C-alpha cells in the first residue's frame, strides 16, 4: 500500500492524542507499568528480529525503527488505557485483552500484511496470540506489584506518622 506510512502515522497520532483524555492521576498511576511494557515489547521485538518471528516493512520515519513505532507509538498508550479501564478486576482485564488481541491477531494482522506494514514469518497467529497473552500477564503483574509496594509505603508512613504524633 502506498500510504502505509501515513496509516501508521495516523494510528500513532490517534493513540497518543487519546491520552489527552486520560486524567493526570491515572496517567501517573499507570505510567511505570506502561514504560515497563514498552521496554518488554522492545526486547521482545529484538528477539523476534533475531529469530525472524515477524517482520516490519514500514515505520513512521526512516530514522525510527518500526519496532519502536509499535512499542512506544501504539502499545504504550493502549497499555495505559487498558489498565485505567480494567485494573482491579482481573476477569475483566483478561476478557478485554482477549477480545483486543483476538481482533488484532486474526483480522488485524491480515489487514496489516495486506497494506505492507507487518507480517508473521516464523511463528503462526496462535503463537503470536500467546506472546501477547504473556505480555498482558506481565503488565498486570507489574501494576499489581507496584500497587502493593505503594500501599506498603503508605502504611509504613502512616504508622510512623501516628507514632511521631503520640510522642510529640
Amino acid at each position: 500500500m502506498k500510504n502505509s506510512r501515513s496509516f501508521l502515522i495516523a494510528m500513532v497520532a490517534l493513540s497518543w492524542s487519546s491520552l489527552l483524555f486520560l486524567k493526570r492521576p491515572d496517567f501517573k498511576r499507570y505510567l511505570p507499568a506502561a514504560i515497563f511494557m514498552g521496554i518488554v515489547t522492545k526486547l521482545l521485538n529484538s528477539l523476534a528480529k533475531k529469530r525472524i518471528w515477524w517482520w516490519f516493512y514500514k515505520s513512521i520515519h526512516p530514522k525510527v525503527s518500526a519496532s519502536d513505532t509499535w512499542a512506544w507509538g501504539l502499545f504504550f498508550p493502549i497499555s495505559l488505557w487498558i489498565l485505567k479501564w480494567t485494573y482491579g478486576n482481573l476477569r475483566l482485564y483478561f476478557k478485554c485483552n482477549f477480545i483486543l488481541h483476538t481482533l488484532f491477531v486474526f483480522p488485524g494482522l491480515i489487514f496489516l500484511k495486506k497494506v505492507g506494514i507487518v507480517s508473521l514469518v516464523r511463528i503462526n497467529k496462535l503463537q503470536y496470540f500467546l506472546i501477547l497473552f504473556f505480555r498482558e500477564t506481565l503488565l498486570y503483574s507489574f501494576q499489581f506489584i507496584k500497587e502493593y509496594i505503594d500501599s506498603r509505603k503508605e502504611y509504613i508512613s502512616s504508622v510512623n506518622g501516628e507514632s511521631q504524633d503520640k510522642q510529640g
Side-chain angles (χ1 to χ4, degrees):
M1 178 181 192
K2 223 176 199 183
N3 296 322
S4 58
R5 182 168 285 130
S6 300
F7 178 73
L8 265 178
I9 291 169
M11 283 183 10
V12 170
L14 184 64
S15 64
W16 270 89
S17 63
S18 74
L19 294 180
L20 296 171
F21 301 102
L22 188 64
K23 293 178 182 161
R24 186 179 177 99
D26 293 329
F27 182 81
K28 288 174 70 175
R29 178 181 180 188
Y30 301 120
L31 181 63
I35 290 171
F36 171 73
M37 194 46 49
I39 293 167
V40 167
T41 302
K42 180 70 176 157
L43 293 172
L44 196 56
N45 285 338
S46 296
L47 179 64
K49 185 176 182 177
K50 220 180 262 187
R51 298 197 175 173
I52 315 169
W53 287 348
W54 51 78
W55 189 255
F56 295 103
Y57 300 106
K58 292 282 184 187
S59 177
I60 57 172
H61 190 274
K63 292 186 179 182
V64 176
S65 78
S67 64
D68 286 345
T69 301
W70 289 93
W72 302 107
L74 297 165
F75 288 135
F76 180 81
I78 290 170
S79 296
L80 287 166
W81 280 111
I82 287 291
L83 286 172
K84 163 124 176 71
W85 290 328
T86 64
Y87 184 74
N89 186 340
L90 188 60
R91 185 174 287 151
L92 179 63
Y93 177 79
F94 280 112
K95 280 182 185 176
C96 286
N97 273 294
F98 178 81
I99 292 166
L100 185 67
H101 292 154
T102 300
L103 291 172
F104 179 73
V105 169
F106 297 99
L109 283 177
I110 292 168
F111 174 75
L112 292 173
K113 183 178 182 179
K114 192 177 286 188
V115 296
I117 294 175
V118 65
S119 66
L120 298 178
V121 181
R122 288 193 178 161
I123 63 171
N124 62 38
K125 290 178 183 178
L126 179 61
Q127 290 168 322
Y128 186 64
F129 186 86
L130 293 173
I131 289 169
L132 292 177
F133 178 79
F134 170 73
R135 285 181 59 250
E136 81 185 48
T137 304
L138 277 179
L139 177 64
Y140 198 93
S141 300
F142 183 94
Q143 185 64 30
F144 182 83
I145 292 167
K146 180 198 169 289
E147 300 265 331
Y148 177 77
I149 291 169
D150 289 349
S151 70
R152 294 293 299 161
K153 285 179 185 176
E154 286 178 26
Y155 173 75
I156 291 169
S157 66
S158 71
V159 168
N160 289 341
E162 289 174 13
S163 66
Q164 290 173 353
D165 290 341
K166 290 178 183 177
Q167 292 174 354

